[in-house]
Amino acid sequence: MEALFGPTLIGKSGPVASSSLNARYVLVYFSAHWCPPCRGFTPKLGMFYDAVNSGAKQVEIVYISRDKTPDQFNEYYSEMPWLALPFEDKARIAALGNRFQVQQIPCLILIDNQGNMKRNTCRMDVTNKGPNCLADWEQALSR
């Protein structure tokens, strides 16, 4: 994952080595403070994240900010329980957007352990199926 996210991600209790991402399901979340649909989806995603990780950690999410300022990023990220790519890493943020062909936000993408996109409809999966979507994600990873 280091090739995809760089060596270090932001975690709630400090820096996290991207090489330590070992959850079964790793999701990339493109979102922004200024985006009303994002502001509506992020709390739902937070509840989903807490529910599926209430036992062993199954899901990790990496927030890729489309915020316009560091203050927006910091305020919005303070509402999220997962990891984030540093706001200042604009080149990597742009490269990830291009790699995953992000056209609109919010966008939630399932990747495999090589960083390949396996499913780009995860926002709808979480919204429509909640934790039951993990079965669909398992099938996507096994393809």
Side-chain angles (χ1 to χ4, degrees), residues 63-124:
Y63 170 50
I64 310 298
S65 175
R66 293 291 177 92
D67 292 307
K68 296 176 177 157
T69 69
D71 287 343
Q72 284 182 344
F73 168 81
N74 291 330
E75 180 182 334
Y76 194 35
Y77 181 58
S78 73
E79 303 169 15
M80 301 176 186
W82 44 77
L83 303 173
L85 192 70
F87 176 80
E88 300 77 24
D89 198 347
K90 296 294 190 185
R92 198 174 305 274
I93 289 169
L96 288 166
N98 290 334
R99 177 184 180 127
F100 297 125
Q101 302 171 350
V102 175
Q103 302 295 317
Q104 61 185 7
I105 56 173
C107 182
L108 186 64
I109 295 168
L110 174 69
I111 61 173
D112 65 15
N113 59 9
Q114 303 300 309
N116 299 308
M117 180 170 56
K118 300 304 281 184
R119 191 172 178 97
N120 64 0
T121 57
C122 298
R123 173 188 173 203
M124 295 312 299

Side-chain angles (χ1 to χ4, degrees), residues 1-70:
M1 294 293 180
E2 189 171 332
L4 194 62
F5 298 121
T8 308
L9 295 166
I10 299 169
K12 288 304 177 177
S13 53
V16 174
S18 59
S19 60
S20 70
L21 287 176
N22 60 358
R24 176 67 183 142
Y25 308 102
V26 176
L27 299 151
V28 183
Y29 182 41
F30 293 86
S31 185
H33 177 271
W34 52 263
C35 166
C38 300
R39 304 271 316 161
F41 179 66
T42 296
K44 293 176 188 162
L45 184 59
M47 288 187 293
F48 168 84
Y49 181 85
D50 290 342
V52 298
N53 290 327
S54 63
K57 180 161 254 185
Q58 300 183 78
V59 172
E60 189 53 84
I61 298 172
V62 178
Y63 170 50
I64 310 298
S65 175
R66 293 291 177 92
D67 292 307
K68 296 176 177 157
T69 69

